[in-house]
Amino acid sequence: MLRGSTSSQVNVSQLPDSSFIYDITIKELSTADSYMDGQTVQVTGEVVGDRILSEPGSSDCWIMLQSDDAGDDSEVAVFMPVTASESIDTYGAYGKRGTTLQVRGTFNLACKEHQGASDLHSDSVAVVSRGSVEELDFNFMRLVPGLVLLMVGSLLLIAFDVIRERQR
């Protein structure tokens, strides 16, 4: 306790300051070697896809965390309690930015509980930023090349049919 401080507080989303917790990127986990197996790691990423219950009526579920780095689509499967996943407000998809989570837990290169899948068993989950829905404007100019090709194809089909009829 600090001098003059009356109470101590724990910030669960604080970056690690001890050597037994590895603050690592999802890309590094996707290419991890056997040294990382069983290590306590902390990753930050966007939740994508859907929440999947491990079994019907189970209190555990799976989510996918995708790397936040530009141009990197690395993902890691996270096994967590359903109660921890309730803080996720948006799952990333086309036109949606998923909730960004910071997950701390045990990384398994080949998990014995889950048929050898590479996964992260969460110990703590913190929301870094909320998800959002992006308004996508319709751009007619992106449709024009397809319409032109459709018209050219139709004209060629008609021309082929006319030439075939004349050869009979």
Side-chain angles (χ1 to χ4, degrees):
M1 194 178 321
L2 297 174
R3 185 183 283 179
S5 174
T6 58
S7 66
S8 297
Q9 293 182 350
V10 176
N11 181 356
V12 295
S13 64
Q14 180 179 352
L15 294 175
D17 58 358
S18 59
S19 61
F20 66 93
I21 297 176
Y22 294 95
D23 197 15
I24 193 166
T25 65
I26 294 174
K27 183 175 185 174
E28 291 171 327
L29 276 185
S30 67
T31 59
D33 59 6
S34 60
Y35 175 75
M36 292 305 296
D37 190 33
Q39 298 292 333
T40 301
V41 298
Q42 178 171 277
V43 295
T44 302
E46 176 189 358
V47 180
V48 296
D50 292 313
R51 178 178 70 180
I52 301 170
L53 293 176
S54 61
E55 294 176 6
S58 174
S59 62
D60 295 315
C61 66
W62 293 93
I63 63 161
M64 292 300 289
L65 273 187
Q66 187 176 49
S67 176
D68 280 340
D69 299 334
D72 181 24
D73 293 331
S74 300
E75 295 179 332
V76 64
V78 179
F79 187 71
M80 65 174 44
V82 171
T83 55
S85 70
E86 290 172 353
S87 62
I88 300 169
D89 66 341
T90 308
Y91 289 84
Y94 182 75
K96 294 181 180 179
R97 172 86 177 143
T99 303
T100 302
L101 296 180
Q102 182 181 58
V103 178
R104 183 180 303 148
T106 305
F107 176 70
N108 297 298
L109 192 58
C111 184
K112 295 174 182 151
E113 295 175 41
H114 303 115
Q115 293 80 33
S118 179
D119 63 11
L120 176 61
H121 289 228
S122 72
D123 293 329
S124 72
V125 177
V127 174
V128 174
S129 65
R130 295 281 172 203
S132 61
V133 177
E134 301 169 3
E135 291 293 325
L136 300 174
D137 296 329
F138 179 72
N139 185 352
F140 183 74
M141 293 311 294
R142 289 187 175 186
L143 188 62
V144 170
L147 291 174
V148 169
L149 286 174
L150 185 64
M151 290 172 46
V152 168
S154 298
L155 290 174
L156 288 173
L157 182 62
I158 291 168
F160 176 75
D161 199 34
V162 168
I163 292 171
R164 191 174 63 173
E165 286 295 321
R166 286 186 183 169
Q167 289 179 353
R168 280 189 184 182

